[in-house]
Amino acid sequence: MRLVDTSAWIEWLTDSPAGRVLAADLPLSDQWLVPTIVQLELAKWLTREVGEDKADQVIAFTETCVVVDLDTAIALAAAALCGGQRKLATADAVVYATAQAHDADLLTCDRHFEGLPRVRFVQKQRA
């Protein structure tokens, strides 16, 4: 299983240089985890940047993947990730805790995850 975080989604959807690198690592939809927090972030970004119709299309695609709700176990694991050495932001902690709960690796362009176990970090290219 692979969880693709919001930063990687955006790079892929915008066909950026990093997005083209990421494309080779995108899983099949039945192996693609999508936390509901990622759906929220995608809907927000897409509606603002490209409009509601495109947002609806992408969210419809996420529904063909394995959507993971935020439950108590993930919430508590995320809370622990907010403290400690990494001090992940809440949304990042939920994403990483979701990946851990489902024994999945994480595909990201978000430097906050760099160096964590089972993270495939792809650096964004500067324009």
Side-chain angles (χ1 to χ4, degrees), residues 7-78:
S7 65
W9 272 94
I10 291 170
E11 295 300 315
W12 176 59
L13 290 168
T14 60
D15 196 32
S16 73
R20 289 188 288 279
V21 171
L22 291 162
D25 289 329
L26 295 175
L28 299 174
S29 62
D30 67 340
Q31 294 294 306
W32 191 325
L33 290 181
V34 182
T36 51
I37 190 85
V38 169
Q39 287 179 313
L40 178 152
E41 291 176 328
L42 281 174
K44 181 179 166 185
W45 183 86
L46 287 161
T47 300
R48 182 183 68 236
E49 297 296 324
V50 295
E52 198 168 319
D53 287 343
K54 182 66 172 179
D56 289 345
Q57 291 172 10
V58 172
I59 297 305
F61 172 76
T62 68
E63 289 289 314
T64 69
C65 301
V66 180
V67 176
V68 181
D69 294 328
L70 176 58
D71 63 18
T72 302
I74 292 171
L76 294 175

